[in-house]
Amino acid sequence: MSHYSVHVVVEADDRHEAEGAVEDALDPYSEHREVKPYEEEISADEVTPALAYAKDQRHDEGRWKIKLDDETNVLAVMTEWVGRPVTRRADGTLVYETSWNPDGHWDWWVVGGRWANAFRGRNGQGTDLTRVGNIDLQGMRREAAQAAGRDFDAYTQVVAGLEVGPTWPEVRDRYPHERIEDARREYHADPWVQAAGKGLWLGDPHRYWCGSRRAEGRLHRTSRRGGRRPLRLASRR
């Protein structure tokens, strides 16, 4: 399960009308909204882990005899994997019929939620719903920049002298599925992972601090003197 915030701008004369407009704006993206049945294609990237999982879990029991050239078994595995009958087109593409909303991005939402009062009004008070002109955007940017600077200063202190460790996918891919707990132990035992993720920041420390790839080369930050100075982040190769 993941949680994220979405900013919705609508035209309305009062709060009640605005809440209704927000609901109308988000409805097309509901995962509960069914559409006319259509065929969904299954990519090769989905087939490979499904077959590997079935082989790890059931090959020894004799229920599945996985052979990549055995179409019947592949279709049976994928049918169980997606929970719907899977067929193969003439061009070899695996497909299944679904009425799931292809634009679906959420299964539940609420105004505010865990980000309650995230907007700072010009009166200094927090709010979830207000007119755009009443939001103190400059003040919010200033506070966010100050908080980011404090976080980054703390980060550089706790990881000083440590190399950026391997990412979770890199560690996970070295282990078979049944040894996933061993992979987790190795990943969380890394000194950089422990330091970068300990209590200060939520989520994947590699993604948070290094982006989608591991940090390589130079990462620049703005100094308090107004200039830009490089920070060297070492990475294993």
Side-chain angles (χ1 to χ4, degrees):
M1 177 184 295
S2 60
H3 297 86
Y4 53 90
S5 61
V6 175
H7 296 167
V8 183
V9 181
V10 297
E11 294 184 2
D13 293 326
D14 54 42
R15 184 180 183 90
H16 177 74
E17 184 178 347
E19 290 177 342
V22 169
E23 184 171 355
D24 291 341
L26 292 178
D27 181 66
Y29 307 101
S30 170
E31 293 180 353
H32 300 298
R33 183 178 187 181
E34 292 193 355
V35 300
K36 183 179 179 180
Y38 63 95
E39 283 190 341
E40 179 76 8
E41 296 184 355
I42 300 176
S43 68
D45 290 339
E46 295 178 86
V47 174
T48 300
L51 295 177
Y53 177 80
K55 184 175 182 179
D56 288 342
Q57 296 297 310
R58 301 190 175 98
H59 183 71
D60 293 339
E61 300 174 9
R63 179 179 174 186
W64 302 87
K65 298 297 183 182
I66 305 303
K67 297 179 181 179
L68 295 181
D69 58 349
D70 188 329
E71 179 175 313
T72 302
N73 283 336
V74 172
L75 294 181
V77 170
M78 295 312 300
T79 292
E80 180 169 311
W81 184 259
V82 302
R84 297 173 183 270
V86 173
T87 59
R88 188 186 298 273
R89 290 176 180 165
D91 63 1
T93 304
L94 298 181
V95 297
Y96 62 93
E97 186 176 275
T98 181
S99 58
W100 184 80
N101 181 10
D103 295 324
H105 288 283
W106 59 267
D107 59 355
W108 179 83
W109 62 269
V110 64
V111 174
R114 64 171 58 185
W115 290 277
N117 299 319
F119 289 118
R120 179 66 57 82
R122 294 188 181 279
N123 60 1
Q125 301 297 315
T127 182
D128 301 322
L129 193 153
T130 188
R131 296 190 181 280
V132 174
N134 292 336
I135 302 174
D136 182 11
L137 294 176
Q138 293 299 326
M140 292 177 63
R141 290 192 184 101
R142 182 172 56 253
E143 292 179 1
Q146 292 171 348
R150 290 192 297 269
D151 282 352
F152 195 84
D153 287 342
Y155 164 75
T156 57
Q157 292 179 13
V158 298
V159 301
L162 299 177
E163 291 187 343
V164 178
T167 65
W168 166 241
E170 290 172 333
V171 175
R172 180 194 59 204
D173 290 347
R174 294 202 297 265
Y175 289 83
H177 179 80
E178 64 270 16
R179 294 186 59 196
I180 191 67
E181 291 303 323
D182 292 335
R184 291 193 177 103
R185 280 190 288 271
E186 178 183 331
Y187 175 73
H188 290 292
D190 182 86
W192 183 88
V193 171
Q194 291 183 355
K198 186 177 181 180
L200 295 177
W201 310 282
L202 298 176
D204 182 347
H206 288 90
R207 185 172 296 275
Y208 189 92
W209 291 113
C210 310
S212 59
R213 299 179 180 178
R214 285 190 299 167
E216 295 183 353
R218 291 176 178 268
L219 177 66
H220 287 83
R221 60 164 297 186
T222 301
S223 72
R224 289 186 170 82
R225 294 188 296 275
R228 288 170 64 84
R229 55 191 175 90
L231 171 72
R232 173 68 69 179
L233 291 183
S235 62
R236 296 176 183 170
R237 296 183 181 276

